[in-house]
Amino acid sequence: MLTLGVEEEDLLLDPETGLPLARATQVRRAAGLHPALADGEVQHELLQAQLSETTAA
């Protein structure tokens, strides 16, 4: 069966300074608590201020 996935990359920024904010671990932990997200759907990227969300349909 053929599937199609979507990947979105996010850069976490400090709202006051606009600089990258190393909070990827905290955001992943909070996202893991949401029942609508599949296990492993939110992943680390190269920098601690980056996240990647993936889906497959």
Side-chain angles (χ1 to χ4, degrees), residues 21-50:
L21 191 59
R23 291 280 162 46
T25 300
Q26 292 90 331
V27 172
R28 284 188 73 234
R29 191 175 303 125
L33 299 176
H34 197 285
L37 294 173
D39 187 36
E41 195 168 317
V42 179
Q43 305 163 3
H44 280 290
E45 281 296 317
L46 180 62
L47 303 175
Q48 283 294 311
Q50 286 181 285

Side-chain angles (χ1 to χ4, degrees), residues 3 16-17 19 29 35 37 51-52:
T3 62
E16 294 179 16
T17 65
L19 295 172
R29 191 175 303 125
L37 294 173
L51 288 172
S52 174

